[in-house]
Amino acid sequence: MTDVPNCPKCDSEHTYEDGLLFVCPVCAHEWSRESTTPTEEISNTIKDANGNILQDGDTVTVIKDLKVKGSSTVVKVGTKVRNIRLVEGDHDIDCKIDGIGAMKLKSQFVKKI
């Protein structure tokens, strides 16, 4: 019998091989034998609305009108946000928007330029 590794996501020992992939039935995580990306990098990857990977310093565009909490201002569709910083949490983008100031945005409402 082949040596099947534990799941890198949940450390379950109940993994099995399915073709070229390993599969964990506990958390449904799939990975390949050639996968060299650490688990931490996979879980910390932040993607925009189109699935593009975001990085610190990127420029993004807002794809939906966003109401600013506690204010009557709105961040309009098409607003360019330059030099973003990625952070942990629900609102995973820290940025400054011209005319509004420092804000936190969700990555699902932006697209990378």
Side-chain angles (χ1 to χ4, degrees):
M1 193 158 158
T2 61
D3 186 30
V4 181
N6 288 354
C7 176
K9 191 171 182 184
C10 70
D11 201 35
S12 171
E13 59 186 27
H14 303 293
T15 57
Y16 61 92
E17 198 169 359
D18 184 23
L20 298 174
L21 297 176
F22 293 114
V23 180
C24 175
V26 177
C27 69
H29 180 66
E30 297 179 350
W31 70 101
S32 67
R33 186 179 308 265
E34 295 82 28
S35 178
T36 57
T37 309
T39 307
E40 293 174 12
E41 265 189 43
I42 293 171
S43 63
N44 291 340
T45 304
I46 298 175
K47 297 182 179 182
D48 70 357
N50 294 334
N52 299 318
I53 296 174
L54 296 173
Q55 297 176 350
D56 286 343
D58 281 346
T59 300
V60 296
T61 303
V62 177
I63 62 168
K64 177 182 176 185
D65 283 345
L66 302 172
K67 295 179 183 177
V68 178
K69 190 173 184 178
S71 169
S72 61
T73 18
V74 175
V75 179
K76 298 284 187 179
V77 172
T79 303
K80 282 188 183 179
V81 182
R82 293 180 176 85
N83 199 18
I84 64 170
R85 192 178 75 196
L86 303 176
V87 294
E88 294 290 323
D90 188 31
H91 292 73
D92 44 16
I93 297 175
D94 223 359
C95 61
K96 287 185 183 177
I97 299 177
D98 293 338
I100 296 175
M103 289 200 61
K104 291 189 175 213
L105 300 172
K106 290 186 178 184
S107 59
Q108 66 192 25
F109 298 121
V110 300
K111 69 177 182 177
K112 188 174 181 177
I113 296 179

